[in-house]
Amino acid sequence: MNTAGHPEATERRGLELTPFRGLRYDPDRVGGLAAVTSPPYDVVVRPDGLHQLQDADPHNIVRLILPQAATPGARNEQAAKTLRRWLSEGVLAADPDPGLYVYEQRDGDGMLQRGVIGALRVTEPSEGLVLPHEDVIPHVVADRADLMRATSANLEPLLLTYRGTGTATETTALIEQTVERPPLFSTTTEDGFSHRLWSITDPADLAHVQSDLARHQALIADGHHRWATYRRLRAEHLSPSPWDYGLVLLVDTARYPLRVRAIHRLLHNLPVSDALAALDGLFRVRRLEVPLAEALETLADAACAGNAYLLAGDGAFHLLDHPDPALLDRTVPPDRPAAWRTLDATVLHATLLAHIWHIPEDDPTRIAYIHDTAATVSKAERDGGTAVLMHPVREDVVRDLARQGVTMPRKSTSFGPKPASGLVLRALDL
C-alpha cells in the first residue's frame, strides 16, 4: 500500500528527530549574538550584504556558510580552518548534553513562529516522509556538499513544516511549556525579529517529541538544496553514521502558520526592451508608472485571473498577463496535474525562459534567484538586466502537489520567516 499521501499512516516508519550537542557562540567571545548571525546562505542578497555581515563581527557565521577565497577548494578549506579555530578558541562551544532546541522568532507585526531544532533522519522522497516541492540546481548541491564535507558540520538548519491538529498537544504543548522558562539566549536582529532558544534534555520530554513527530510527514519549506546535499552525503558513508541525519527546524504550521513569498528572477544581459520585444503579442503587456508597492498590488490582482508577472529594470514596471493559450499548449508539458501546468513558475520556466528568451534556468551567468523584491529591481536597473517579479503560491497548493510526488520548478516559493544562521550548529564528530 502506498502511504505517501497519508501522514498519519502507522505502518510506515515516521519522522525520526534526534537530540544532538549543539555548537553555540559564547556571548562573551563575540560582539553580540545579533552581530554573528546571518540570513541563510542563499538569502544574502543586498549589494553590500556579504561585506556588511563580515564587518559586523569577525566571527559572523557568514564566514562559514559563504567563505570567500579565489577557488571553491580554497573557500571550503578556509571555512574548515575557521571552524576549527573558533572551536579551539572557545568562540563556539558544544553544549554539555544532547538535546533538542525550541526556537522562537517574533516580529513587531504579530508574526510568531516556534518550532523544534534537531537532527532528522535523512530519507528518500519515495519514503513519503520528507516531501520536496521544488527541483534543485545540481551545481548548488555540489557546492553545499563540498562545504559540508570540508567542515564535517551542518552549519544552518533547514526549515521543514508539518501539519498538527491545530491545538496545543504533544510537541506544541511542550514547546509552549518550555518558552515559559528563561531561554539560553535572546537577541534581536537588524530585520526587527527577536530570536530566543531553549534546550530540551529531559529524557521523558525528548521521548514525547519523538513519539509525536513519528506520526507525521514533513514538507521542505526552505532548504531543498541542503536536503539534497544531506541525501548525497548520507549515500557516501556506510550506515550507521552521523551523516544519516541532518540539521532541521520543524514547525507545526497548523499552530504557527508561515508566510509564503515569491522568489524573483534576475535575467543578466537581457535588457527590458529586448525581453518585451521578444513577446510580440504572446502576452498582454501594460506599462505601469507607479511605485513598487502599487505595482505588486496590480500583480496580485492579475494573478487571481491567471498567469501574471512584472518586468522591471528600465525605471518602470511592465505587467505581463493573459498569455496566448496556444502558446501554453505548445510549451507547457502536458504530463503533469493541471495545478502544476498552471503555476506561474511553470509557465515562466517552460514558456518565457526556455521558449521565448532562451535562458537556461541553471546557468548562473544568465539568471539569478533573489528573495528580496526591491533588491531584484535595483540590481536589474544597475546592471541593465531584467527583473521578473513573481506572485507567491499558496501553501496548500505546494503541499498538495508535494503529496502527489510532483515537484515545482526550482525556486518557486519562499517560506518564512527563515531560521537565522549562527544560533545553533551541528558538528558531525561530536
Side-chain angles (χ1 to χ4, degrees):
M1 177 180 175
N2 180 4
T3 62
H6 301 278
E8 304 304 325
T10 57
E11 60 266 38
R12 62 160 164 74
R13 195 176 180 186
L15 296 174
E16 294 181 21
L17 192 69
T18 65
F20 68 104
R21 293 179 63 201
L23 293 182
R24 296 191 294 111
Y25 281 100
D26 182 342
D28 295 330
R29 300 293 185 100
V30 297
L33 289 174
V36 295
T37 64
S38 164
Y41 78 96
D42 58 342
V43 189
V44 182
V45 297
R46 293 171 300 180
D48 64 342
L50 180 64
H51 298 296
Q52 181 172 335
L53 289 166
Q54 288 178 327
D55 294 343
D57 189 283
H59 301 107
N60 189 282
I61 192 66
V62 78
R63 296 179 183 273
L64 299 183
I65 63 175
L66 286 174
Q68 299 298 294
T71 66
R75 289 196 294 269
N76 295 328
E77 180 56 30
Q78 177 176 295
K81 288 180 178 178
T82 300
L83 178 57
R84 289 195 296 268
R85 184 175 73 253
W86 290 356
L87 288 169
S88 66
E89 294 173 352
V91 173
L92 286 170
D95 284 329
D97 299 310
L100 300 175
Y101 295 84
V102 170
Y103 175 46
E104 177 190 274
Q105 291 169 275
R106 187 191 297 266
D107 71 4
D109 297 326
M111 178 71 191
L112 174 63
Q113 177 174 289
R114 289 170 177 159
V116 178
I117 296 175
L120 186 69
R121 182 175 69 89
V122 178
T123 59
E124 295 298 315
S126 60
E127 296 181 60
L129 294 176
V130 178
L131 306 177
H133 70 267
E134 291 181 358
D135 293 330
V136 296
I137 303 171
H139 74 81
V140 177
V141 176
D143 174 75
R144 291 293 102 182
D146 289 342
L147 178 63
M148 286 190 205
R149 286 192 204 96
T151 58
S152 191
N154 300 151
L155 301 172
E156 45 186 350
L158 286 63
L159 175 60
L160 305 185
T161 72
Y162 69 99
R163 297 289 292 180
T165 63
T167 60
T169 60
E170 298 296 338
T171 298
T172 51
L174 182 59
I175 286 174
E176 289 169 14
Q177 293 168 14
T178 301
V179 300
E180 296 300 318
R181 297 193 276 111
L184 295 173
F185 66 77
S186 177
T187 190
T188 300
T189 46
E190 68 168 15
D191 58 5
F193 271 91
S194 66
H195 307 261
R196 297 197 295 171
L197 193 78
W198 298 259
S199 63
I200 300 174
T201 57
D202 180 83
D205 290 339
L206 294 173
H208 275 106
V209 172
Q210 291 171 316
S211 175
D212 177 37
L213 294 178
R215 301 183 296 109
H216 294 282
Q217 65 182 172
L219 175 73
I220 302 176
D222 185 68
H224 283 80
H225 291 88
R226 283 166 286 167
W227 184 257
T229 300
Y230 290 169
R231 290 170 49 211
R232 175 180 293 193
L233 295 174
R234 183 194 65 166
E236 294 176 0
H237 296 81
L238 291 176
S239 185
S241 82
W243 298 97
D244 292 342
Y245 297 83
L247 187 63
V248 306
L249 166 65
L250 274 165
V251 174
D252 178 0
T253 54
R255 188 70 172 173
Y256 301 107
L258 271 63
R259 293 172 177 156
V260 185
R261 292 179 171 145
I263 301 177
H264 310 295
R265 275 66 170 162
L266 176 62
L267 310 182
H268 303 302
N269 305 315
L270 179 67
V272 174
S273 58
D274 292 352
L276 293 172
L279 296 174
D280 192 23
L282 298 173
F283 281 72
R284 184 174 70 171
V285 180
R286 287 179 283 166
R287 182 182 178 94
L288 308 176
E289 296 281 359
V290 297
L292 174 59
E294 189 174 336
L296 291 173
E297 290 178 1
T298 304
L299 173 63
D301 291 339
C304 292
N307 301 118
Y309 314 89
L310 282 178
L311 301 191
D314 62 351
F317 297 99
H318 306 268
L319 179 68
L320 276 56
D321 63 358
H322 290 200
D324 178 8
L327 171 68
L328 301 184
D329 289 341
R330 293 196 309 271
T331 57
V332 176
D335 59 344
R336 302 286 185 91
W340 181 90
R341 297 197 307 272
T342 56
L343 288 170
D344 287 338
T346 297
V347 173
L348 172 64
H349 283 252
T351 304
L352 286 166
L353 292 180
H355 182 78
I356 295 176
W357 293 326
H358 307 290
I359 295 177
E361 62 183 14
D362 57 356
D363 183 350
T365 68
R366 303 288 304 282
I367 186 171
Y369 299 83
I370 304 179
H371 295 72
D372 185 89
T373 309
T376 311
V377 175
S378 65
K379 284 175 179 284
E381 292 178 343
R382 186 179 66 252
D383 301 338
T386 294
V388 183
L389 306 183
M390 310 279 288
H391 185 67
V393 183
R394 300 193 318 273
E395 182 187 357
D396 62 310
V397 173
V398 175
R399 192 176 295 274
D400 287 346
L401 285 171
R403 283 176 171 166
Q404 296 176 58
V406 177
T407 55
M408 301 166 64
R410 59 198 59 175
K411 298 294 183 180
S412 293
T413 59
S414 175
F415 286 85
K418 304 178 190 303
S421 298
L423 300 182
V424 61
L425 293 66
R426 174 178 176 252
L428 277 77
D429 53 2
L430 289 180

